[in-house]
Amino acid sequence: MRKEIERCTGAVEYACNGHTVSVISSGDSGIYGMAGLVLEILHRKGLDIPVEVVCGVSAANAAAAALGAPLMNDFAVISLSDLLVPLERIKKRLEALAALDMVTVIYNPKSKTRTEPFEMMVSIFSAHRSAETAVGIVTKASSEDEEVVTVTTLGKLRECQIGMSTTIIIGSGDVALLDGRMVSLRGYRLDGNRADHE
C-alpha cells in the first residue's frame, strides 16, 4: 500500500525493456486494484505496449459467497479509504446509497487510527435503515487466513471486530436471513407464491 505508483511505473519500465511483466493485485486488479494505474501510466507516456487485464475474484464476491447470496439483486461497492478520495465525497456517496435501500458492500472500513469514515458510515445507514437490517462481515475473504464470517445487524455493527481487510455487506429490504445465511430475494415464485422475507 502507498507504493502503487512506484510499482506500476517500475513494471512499465521493465516492459519497455522487452520483459513480460505481471502486476499482481489482490482480488480483482480492476476493482480498487492497479490495472487502471498501469493503463494511465502507459497513456501518459504515449506507450503502445499490449496489456492484458486478467479478472480475479473481488472481496465483494468472496465475502458474498462466504455469507450466502446477498448480491442477487442490484448492489453497490464503496471504499471508505480517504487516501485518494476526499471524505466529503465519500459521505455524499454513502448518503445516496443508504437512501436507495440497495445492498452495499463496504471496503477498507477502518484502521487502528482511521475510524471516522466507519463511524460516519454507520450513522448514515442507521438514519435510513432499520437497526435490524442484516449485515455480513468477512475478514480476509477467501484468503488462506480468512478469519471471521459474521452475520449481524446494523444496530450491532459497532460492536464487531472491523479492520482494513474486512469486507462489510449491508443488506437492503430484499435481504433475508435464511438458515443463518444472507440471501437477496429476487421474487421467484416458489410453490406458486412470491418468495418472501420469512
Side-chain angles (χ1 to χ4, degrees):
M1 291 295 290
R2 299 176 191 253
K3 296 212 177 262
E4 295 90 346
I5 293 174
E6 292 89 337
R7 289 172 60 195
C8 291
T9 300
V12 168
E13 289 172 1
Y14 275 110
C16 287
N17 290 321
H19 298 282
T20 299
V21 182
S22 294
V23 178
I24 309 297
S25 297
S26 61
D28 185 291
S29 63
I31 301 176
Y32 300 113
M34 291 187 288
L37 182 55
V38 169
L39 295 171
E40 186 178 349
I41 290 169
L42 290 171
H43 173 76
R44 286 183 181 234
K45 292 181 175 284
L47 299 171
D48 184 21
I49 296 174
V51 175
E52 179 183 3
V53 179
V54 179
C55 65
V57 177
S58 74
N61 298 105
L67 292 164
L71 307 183
M72 294 294 294
N73 283 324
D74 296 336
F75 66 94
V77 180
I78 186 167
S79 171
L80 299 189
S81 173
D82 58 354
L83 291 175
L84 299 174
V85 178
L87 191 56
E88 189 57 36
R89 187 183 303 175
I90 294 170
K91 180 181 179 183
K92 287 179 181 176
R93 291 174 178 174
L94 288 170
E95 288 171 343
L97 291 172
L100 286 172
D101 190 35
M102 181 183 292
V103 172
T104 305
V105 182
I106 307 292
Y107 283 11
N108 306 311
K110 73 176 180 179
S111 67
K112 291 178 182 176
T113 59
R114 190 185 55 79
T115 61
E116 181 185 356
F118 174 76
E119 293 297 328
M120 178 183 69
M121 179 273 295
V122 175
S123 295
I124 289 170
F125 274 83
S126 296
H128 291 274
R129 302 195 190 174
S130 162
E132 297 305 309
T133 299
V135 174
I137 301 165
V138 182
T139 300
K140 299 181 181 177
S142 80
S143 68
E144 292 179 359
D145 51 351
E146 180 175 276
E147 294 174 4
V148 179
V149 177
T150 302
V151 176
T152 187
T153 62
L154 183 57
K156 295 179 180 176
L157 182 54
R158 285 189 172 99
E159 302 168 17
C160 299
Q161 289 286 101
I162 306 290
M164 282 296 284
S165 59
T166 301
T167 303
I168 301 170
I169 300 183
I170 302 173
S172 68
D174 293 324
V175 172
L177 293 180
L178 305 179
D179 302 319
R181 294 177 174 269
M182 289 179 71
V183 180
S184 283
L185 304 178
R186 298 194 66 194
Y188 293 114
R189 294 189 173 271
L190 305 176
D191 299 326
N193 297 313
R194 184 188 182 280
D196 59 27
H197 293 246
E198 309 196 346

